[in-house]
Amino acid sequence: GQQVMQIPQYQHVQEGEDFTTYCNSSTTLSNIQWYKQRPGGHPVFLIQLVKSGEVKKQKRLTFQFGEAKKNSSLHITATQTTDVGTYFCAGGDSSYKLIFGSGTRLLVRP
Amino acid sequence: NAGVTQTPKFRILKIGQSMTLQCTQDMNHNYMYWYRQDPGMGLKLIYYSVGAGITDKGEVPNGYNVSRSTTEDFPLRLELAAPSQTSVYFCASSYPGQGLETQYFGPGTRLLVL
C-alpha cells in the first residue's frame, strides 16, 4: 500500500537556526498537506500543495512539492521557541484519504 | 462554531470491556475520519465516512466499528478492548471541494487499556 516516509524523526536546534523536514511517498500524490501538532495537542492544518513543483511561503515557513509529486519539504527559517512541535506531512490520493508520515519532532533551545 | 468535539477526553478500560468514543462536528462536513496515534508515531486511519450511511475501512480497522447515522456524528466503537488499543484517538472532518481537503481535528481521546 501507499507509504509516506518522513525524516528526520527528531531535530534539536538552537533558536535562530534553520530547520528542514523531508517527506517522500511511495506513489504519486494528488496533493500533500502539512500539519503541526503541539505537545499534548491535536494536528492543525498548515498548508496544502497541489501543483507539481509548487512552492508556498507562510512568513518563516517555506513549503515545496516535488516535480514528480512524490516528495515535499518544509523549511523554517530562524526558528523560534513557538515553532516547537511535531510536523507531519500527509499525502492525499483521489479518494480524499490522507496517509500521514511519522512526523518530525522539532525541539528549540532558547 | 465548536468545530470537532470528542468525548471523553480520557478513559481507562479493563481488557475485554467495551466503549464508544463520541465525535461530533458542526461544520456540515460530509467527510469524517477516525485516527489513532501511538506514542511518538504518526496517525493511522481506522475508519472513514463520506456521508451519512456510508463508512469504509482505513489502514487499521480491526477491533473497531463505526456508524454514521447523521452528518454531524461519527462514533467509534471498541467491542473487546485490548492493551494494543492503548492510544490517542483523533476524529477529523473535511469538506472536499474546490481542491482543498483540509482536515479539522478534534482534541482527541486518550485511552488506556489495562
Side-chain angles (χ1 to χ4, degrees):
Chain A
Q2 181 185 4
Q3 291 187 352
V4 175
M5 308 299 291
Q6 197 173 347
I7 57 171
Q9 188 175 5
Y10 298 97
Q11 187 85 47
H12 202 174
V13 301
Q14 186 72 39
E15 188 173 21
E17 291 182 338
D18 292 355
F19 160 78
T20 304
T21 174
Y22 301 91
C23 185
N24 286 285
S25 170
S26 58
T27 60
T28 301
L29 302 169
S30 63
N31 71 87
I32 194 152
Q33 300 182 22
W34 285 90
Y35 290 78
K36 177 182 178 181
Q37 184 178 26
R38 295 185 185 275
H42 60 277
V44 174
F45 174 80
L46 293 176
I47 208 160
Q48 177 176 283
L49 304 171
V50 178
K51 298 177 182 177
S52 171
E54 189 170 13
V55 178
K56 287 188 176 180
K57 293 189 176 183
Q58 288 181 349
K59 298 183 180 178
R60 295 178 294 103
L61 279 62
T62 301
F63 304 84
Q64 292 187 323
F65 200 11
E67 294 290 340
K69 300 184 74 173
K70 296 180 72 173
N71 59 76
S72 181
S73 66
L74 158 60
H75 180 81
I76 302 178
T77 303
T79 55
Q80 300 175 357
T81 55
T82 54
D83 295 326
V84 165
T86 301
Y87 292 85
F88 292 98
C89 64
D93 61 16
S94 56
S95 68
Y96 301 111
K97 291 185 293 184
L98 291 177
I99 303 296
F100 280 79
S102 54
T104 296
R105 184 178 176 189
L106 174 62
L107 304 172
V108 180
R109 290 189 297 269
Chain B
N1 287 349
V4 181
T5 57
Q6 292 183 239
T7 56
K9 291 183 179 180
F10 178 69
R11 182 78 182 268
I12 299 175
L13 281 182
K14 294 182 179 178
I15 295 172
Q17 286 186 321
S18 301
M19 78 165 293
T20 299
L21 284 67
Q22 301 292 344
C23 175
T24 299
Q25 54 90 11
D26 62 358
M27 297 175 282
N28 200 32
H29 285 173
N30 293 333
Y31 283 47
M32 297 188 74
Y33 312 82
W34 273 107
Y35 295 91
R36 60 175 288 174
Q37 184 177 34
D38 298 332
M41 303 295 287
L43 293 97
K44 297 292 186 182
L45 182 64
I46 305 172
Y47 271 96
Y48 69 103
S49 170
V50 301
I54 305 170
T55 63
D56 208 347
K57 296 178 180 179
E59 300 172 74
V60 290
N62 291 344
Y64 308 94
N65 277 302
V66 294
S67 59
R68 184 94 181 272
S69 57
T70 67
T71 299
E72 295 78 19
D73 301 308
F74 190 39
L76 177 71
R77 178 82 178 164
L78 281 71
E79 290 295 346
L80 292 170
S84 61
Q85 294 179 304
T86 292
S87 191
V88 180
Y89 291 84
F90 289 103
C91 178
S93 71
S94 68
Y95 185 76
Q98 301 175 342
L100 184 63
E101 290 90 35
T102 305
Q103 292 194 11
Y104 297 85
F105 284 80
T109 294
R110 296 180 183 274
L111 176 65
L112 179 61
V113 181
L114 299 175

